[in-house]
């Protein structure tokens, strides 16, 4: 028998309202224990909540959601209470005294919804992204995925692979039958080539999907005392990084998360780049170079207009930024030597850099096509594409080509959770908050 789970599903206490949710066979009994008779399904009813001695705990609303028409597919009940720690603790303590009722684990409500066919893995992951969304772009992306658009695309491709495989196997098994024409292969492989092209275009959107979900990654690099930390603080509007004239002050990566035009931009202040560095500072420099190599954009900062040579792999764009234009710096070059010139102290030129970053983030997340949302998706899409390409090899026996079609479809099924994903469920749902 499956336990009934219960948890606080609203925000941190204290709060104006607290929502305690339960899911499982004992949900109705829980409501009756606290409030008496069950209200009409899916109708909020004002009730007095009482303990076993008929003493009042609180007054609030009860919402009875019998399965399968509920989020989890099981009988569910919600208690809308005042957001007092004492009230919520009392309700949870009394509820878990009932046989078969226990506190929910992180993500357990969503996992039950998945197990009961209420949503697939892509939709479940998108719900988690929606809860943690910080910007409008992240919200829109999560809503699109949670609505099933991405899942529908993958299931459509999987259905085409299944059809292609069945046609090829029919040709193998019944090649001497008149109702299985030998030309079926031509139509099947033409469709698979079309699908391979569509899969490639979809995978090309990985960067856009990553930027929408995790934000545009921007690394600020340069020599010590070039104004990197001051620039980050000015753009963040707070003292996120320590500023000091002493070289080597920043030894680890310091982040600031900005909402620019509805898009998340993650700024990373890094250790100053120089040759004369000790062990600890040297590790900071190594991390700075690594962060720059992994970024979508590098802001190469200099107070003089002389920029060091950065040994970075192909990929991140690099903008040169001349700082401290309000000061006369010995050895400084003309302002035109840099892409952007500014003073983080006076604000001169800062608006132009922020506007350019906003446009860059918008362009990076632009486009109307669906994009892969996670590294897990890309892993399975890449494996699917490999098998699909192998299946198109005309030098391979039809039996093996059909097997590659099966394996390609299996990889798509792993994305949505239709096939053999038990080993990854714990990892996925443990990232949810308790009560979801």
């Amino acid at each position: 028998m499956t336990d009934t789970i219960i948890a606080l599903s609203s925000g941190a206490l204290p709060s104006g309202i607290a929502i305690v949710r339960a899911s499982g066979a004992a949900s109705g009994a829980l409501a009756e224990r606290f409030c008496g008779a069950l209200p009409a399904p899916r109708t909020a009813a004002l009730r007095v909540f009482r303990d076993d001695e008929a003493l009042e705990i609180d007054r609030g609303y009860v919402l009875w959601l019998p399965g399968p028409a509920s989020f989890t597919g099981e009988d569910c009940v919600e208690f809308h209470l005042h957001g007092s720690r004492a009230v919520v603790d009392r309700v949870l303590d009394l509820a878990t005294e009932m046989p078969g009722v226990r506190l929910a684990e992180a993500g357990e409500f969503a996992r039950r919804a998945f197990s009961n066919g209420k949503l697939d893995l892509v939709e479940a992951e998108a719900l988690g992204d929606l809860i943690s969304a910080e910007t409008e772009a992240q919200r829109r992306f999560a809503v699109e995925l949670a609505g099933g658009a991405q899942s529908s695309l993958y299931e459509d491709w999987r259905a085409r692979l299944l059809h292609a495989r069945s046609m090829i196997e029919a040709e193998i098994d019944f090649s001497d039958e008149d109702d299985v024409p030998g030309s079926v292969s031509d139509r099947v492989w033409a469709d698979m080539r079309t699908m391979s092209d569509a899969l490639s275009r979809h995978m090309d959107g990985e960067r856009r999907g990553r930027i929408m979900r995790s934000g545009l990654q921007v690394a600020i690099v340069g020599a010590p005392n070039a104004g990197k930390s001051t620039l980050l603080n000015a753009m963040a509007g707070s003292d996120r990084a320590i500023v000091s004239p002493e070289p080597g002050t920043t030894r680890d990566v310091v982040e600031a998360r900005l909402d620019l035009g509805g898009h998340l931009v993650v700024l990373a202040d890094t250790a100053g780049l120089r040759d004369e560095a000790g062990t600890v500072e040297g590790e900071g420099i190594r991390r700075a170079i690594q962060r720059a190599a992994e970024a979508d954009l590098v802001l190469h900062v200099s107070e003089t207009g002389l920029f060091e040579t950065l040994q970075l792999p192909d990929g991140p764009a690099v903008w040169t930024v001349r700082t401290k234009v309000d000061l006369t710096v010995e050895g400084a070059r003309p302002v035109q030597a840099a892409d952007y010139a500014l003073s983080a102290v006076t604000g001169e030129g800062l608006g132009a850099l922020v506007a350019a970053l906003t446009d860059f983030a918008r362009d990076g997340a632009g486009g109307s096509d669906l994009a892969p949302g996670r590294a897990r998706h890309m892993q399975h899409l890449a494996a699917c594409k490999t098998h699909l390409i192998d299946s198109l090899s005309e030098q391979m026996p039809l039996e093996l080509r059909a097997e590659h079609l099966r394996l390609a479809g299996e990889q798509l099924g792993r994305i949505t959770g239709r096939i053999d994903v038990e080993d990854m469920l714990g990892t996925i749902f443990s990232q949810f908050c308790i009560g979801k």
Side-chain angles (χ1 to χ4, degrees):
M1 177 180 176
T2 302
D3 290 338
T4 294
I5 55 175
I6 189 168
L8 173 67
S9 291
S10 53
L13 303 175
S15 60
I17 297 293
I19 300 176
V20 175
R21 178 166 59 171
S23 177
S27 296
L30 276 172
E32 291 172 339
R33 175 179 183 177
F34 288 119
C35 311
L38 287 172
R42 281 164 280 281
T43 301
L46 182 63
R47 292 284 192 272
V48 176
F49 289 74
R50 301 183 184 277
D51 62 17
D52 293 338
E53 297 177 356
L55 298 176
E56 182 174 329
I57 302 172
D58 194 15
R59 294 174 183 242
Y61 286 95
V62 180
L63 190 60
W64 167 235
L65 305 165
S70 68
F71 173 70
T72 63
E74 303 173 331
D75 287 349
C76 291
V77 66
E78 290 184 359
F79 303 137
H80 295 231
L81 307 162
H82 291 101
S84 157
R85 290 189 178 91
V87 168
V88 172
D89 287 346
R90 183 62 172 157
V91 169
L92 292 177
D93 288 344
L94 290 173
T96 52
E97 289 177 359
M98 290 183 61
V101 180
R102 61 173 175 81
L103 295 176
E105 298 176 358
E108 195 166 3
F109 288 94
R111 181 163 182 168
R112 290 192 177 194
F114 167 76
S115 298
N116 292 324
K118 289 294 182 176
L119 72 170
D120 62 32
L121 281 188
V122 174
E123 294 165 342
E125 290 169 328
L127 283 178
D129 290 341
L130 181 59
I131 292 171
S132 60
E134 301 175 58
T135 66
E136 176 63 11
Q138 288 179 310
R139 183 197 64 79
R140 290 198 305 266
F141 186 56
V143 166
E144 185 177 41
L145 267 62
Q150 192 102 306
S151 299
S152 297
L153 175 65
Y154 295 154
E155 286 302 309
D156 175 66
W157 283 345
R158 186 165 167 253
R160 286 166 65 180
L161 286 165
L162 179 61
H163 174 74
R165 177 186 162 204
S166 65
M167 292 295 98
I168 294 302
E169 291 183 347
E171 182 170 311
I172 294 171
D173 294 338
F174 307 105
S175 58
D176 56 343
E177 300 291 337
D178 293 337
D179 57 348
V180 183
S183 61
V184 69
S185 289
D186 295 336
R187 296 195 300 271
V188 165
W189 299 124
D191 184 48
M192 291 300 96
R193 281 188 287 271
T194 299
M195 180 177 158
S196 179
D197 293 340
L199 182 60
S200 296
R201 290 193 298 271
H202 180 67
M203 293 174 65
D204 287 342
E206 183 270 339
R207 178 176 178 271
R208 183 169 67 88
R210 177 178 53 75
I211 290 175
M212 285 193 289
R213 180 175 177 270
S214 302
L216 182 77
Q217 304 298 312
V218 180
I220 306 175
V221 302
N225 294 334
K228 301 183 297 299
S229 298
T230 304
L231 176 60
L232 178 132
N233 290 340
M235 296 184 70
S238 62
D239 292 335
R240 299 300 302 272
I242 298 174
V243 177
S244 168
E246 179 181 344
T249 299
T250 302
R251 297 193 174 188
D252 205 348
V253 177
V254 179
E255 286 188 352
R257 302 169 74 85
L258 311 180
D259 183 343
L260 299 183
H263 298 275
L264 176 63
V265 175
V266 182
L267 287 180
D269 179 25
T270 64
L273 306 178
R274 63 172 178 167
D275 296 328
E276 305 83 10
T279 303
V280 176
E281 188 181 350
E283 174 61 20
I285 293 173
R286 185 194 67 80
R287 295 185 183 188
I289 294 173
Q290 179 181 357
R291 187 61 177 258
E294 296 171 350
D296 300 300
L297 173 66
V298 173
L299 299 183
H300 191 181
V301 175
S302 168
E303 64 179 345
T304 64
L306 296 170
F307 296 93
E308 309 87 353
T309 300
L310 296 179
Q311 300 296 330
L312 297 177
D314 294 337
V318 178
W319 293 354
T320 53
V321 180
R322 161 87 183 282
T323 58
K324 306 181 183 181
V325 296
D326 57 315
L327 302 177
T328 301
V329 180
E330 184 178 353
R333 288 189 171 188
V335 167
Q336 290 77 12
D339 295 322
Y340 297 91
L342 55 86
S343 168
V345 174
T346 67
E348 178 186 351
L350 190 61
L353 178 60
V354 171
L357 274 176
T358 303
D359 291 341
F360 193 83
R362 183 183 298 112
D363 292 343
S368 58
D369 293 335
L370 293 170
R374 292 174 178 257
R376 182 182 75 83
H377 302 173
M378 282 297 295
Q379 175 187 346
H380 293 302
L381 288 170
C384 172
K385 182 179 177 180
T386 297
H387 287 300
L388 189 53
I389 291 175
D390 288 344
S391 75
L392 295 172
S393 174
E394 296 181 1
Q395 287 71 40
M396 189 179 295
L398 273 181
E399 292 85 353
L400 292 181
R401 298 175 75 181
E403 176 64 8
H404 280 296
L405 292 176
R406 183 189 71 80
L407 293 172
E410 182 178 285
Q411 291 297 325
L412 291 176
R414 286 176 178 270
I415 299 178
T416 58
R418 303 300 186 196
I419 297 175
D420 188 24
V421 292
E422 190 64 32
D423 56 339
M424 71 176 74
L425 293 185
T427 300
I428 291 174
F429 289 108
S430 66
Q431 300 174 32
F432 283 65
C433 56
I434 293 176
K436 185 58 180 175

